[in-house]
Amino acid sequence: MSAETADTAEPTPERATGAAGAEGRRREQRGWYFYDFACSVYSTSVLTVFLGPYLTSIAKAAADADGFVRPLGIPVRAGSLFAYAVSVSVVVAVVVMPVVGAAADRTGRKKPLLAAAAYVGAAATTGMFFLDGHRYLLGAFLLIVANASISVSMVLYNAYLPQIAGPDERDAVSSRGWAFGYTSGALVLVLNLVLYTGHDSFGLSESDAVRICLASAGVWWGAFTLVPLRRLRDRRVAPGGEGAVGSGWRQLRATLRDMRRHPLTLSFLLAYLVYNDGIQTVISQASVYGSEELGLDQTTLITAVLLVQVLAVAGALGMGRLARAYGAKRTILASLVVWTLILVSGYFLPPDAPVFFYVLASAIGLVLGGSQALSRSLFSHLVPRGKEAEYFSAYEMSDRGLSWLGPLVFGLAYQLTGSYRDAIISLVIFFAIGSVLLARVPVRQAVAAAGNPVPERI
């Protein structure tokens, strides 16, 4: 159903009764899964595998004798450029996301905004085909645009979750979305691996193969975004107030004031901000660490990330089942312990030892999807009804938008020490502090305080 023919009231999953209502909800859920299927290829092939090492190599080729490039006259060690660009992209997203979230809630038109963000990001990713030679500034610019765009689109995507899934099914629906994403990531990585390892037989240079892999992620993102745009539907909201875009920042201030009325929701967001900063940094910097510090080749990195994708599907679904038995909060806390052990093990990994790197990749895969999926579904219980996009813009700031500190710390540690091992071990603090903060949140009380029904187990 299109936005123009949407319901006049804001329906909730609980109100969608009867066979027709249940089938409509399932149809939206299936369409919703496909945005993860579409955009996760960017996170996997571009951000995690190819762009970090490739952009670093371009920056090093353009660097001076001391190993520095100077964008806008600022001396930057070439090995830190990728991490800094990720941080800048996050700052851009912080500026845009609250305005978009407020606009979506005030107008009820999430779908056109989702389309705009998705296709800007897909276009920037496709444009990475032209990244060669010494064009490190072009690469940094396209990374900033694409990474900010995916953050904005995820605000709108996540805001659909409370509307298409009831309280008792959100863990499962959220986990299936992550599983769809990791499935697409694995599929495209197999194709990337075939192209990259066989680039000579295809008449391509190694650089050409990498650029095609980068651009194909943008094409995939744009193509499969058509599925959720056809199946998801907008809900109309009561008219009144100023234009959504013009009042975006005023709405943001109102949202922040409103969130102060829900201190337990804010407490969860703070915990998530901290531990997810660590997760996002590990994801974005793993390939750089593997190639630059451990001396692993691109084929090893691709197959390791492919292993992560395959295991992450099972991990997301398996942790969803654990959450049904033990509660989402306890399951997330257990995953953070595993993340900490992964970083400590990574610090001691010997160079030129792909087997140990694969073992570590397996551990990441088992906890990656589940920790993120359960965090998303847990937060959906803490959102007051009718404020989904606004609150999920704050969530997305924690998920991507405020995840600038980890890459910044990682980049600074390398800039100051020249050691990626020092950079990777510094991330332990994010998981330690995040675990303590999350343990202190009384989630059942937080759900009730937000005015939502409390699930039997959370």
Side-chain angles (χ1 to χ4, degrees), residues 75-219:
V76 174
R77 192 184 290 270
S80 296
L81 178 71
F82 176 70
Y84 288 157
V86 172
S87 288
V88 172
S89 73
V90 166
V91 173
V92 173
V94 166
V95 174
V96 178
M97 284 191 300
V99 178
V100 172
D105 279 336
R106 291 177 66 87
T107 65
R109 294 177 62 83
K110 297 181 181 69
K111 194 157 62 172
L113 294 169
L114 174 62
Y119 284 109
V120 168
T125 305
T126 305
M128 291 177 186
F129 178 80
F130 301 102
L131 179 58
D132 60 2
H134 290 180
R135 296 178 177 175
Y136 71 92
L137 282 177
L138 174 63
F141 172 74
L142 292 175
L143 168 60
I144 290 167
V145 172
N147 219 39
S149 295
I150 197 171
S151 296
V152 172
S153 72
M154 291 302 289
V155 169
L156 303 155
Y157 168 70
N158 287 334
Y160 274 103
L161 181 58
Q163 297 176 335
I164 64 173
D168 291 326
E169 61 179 342
R170 285 182 203 161
D171 286 347
V173 170
S174 183
S175 295
R176 287 190 203 109
W178 283 104
F180 263 62
Y182 287 117
T183 299
S184 74
L187 175 61
V188 173
L189 271 182
V190 169
L191 299 176
N192 291 161
L193 183 62
V194 171
L195 179 63
Y196 180 81
T197 56
H199 60 81
D200 286 334
S201 62
F202 291 109
L204 300 171
S205 67
E206 182 177 334
S207 174
D208 290 338
V210 171
R211 292 188 296 116
I212 291 172
C213 290
L214 292 171
S216 65
V219 174

Side-chain angles (χ1 to χ4, degrees), residues 289-314:
Y289 183 72
S291 63
E292 299 295 323
E293 184 67 34
L294 302 181
L296 302 176
D297 59 34
Q298 191 72 60
T299 300
T300 299
L301 297 177
I302 296 172
T303 51
V305 175
L306 178 59
L307 180 61
V308 169
Q309 301 303 300
V310 173
L311 291 177
V313 175

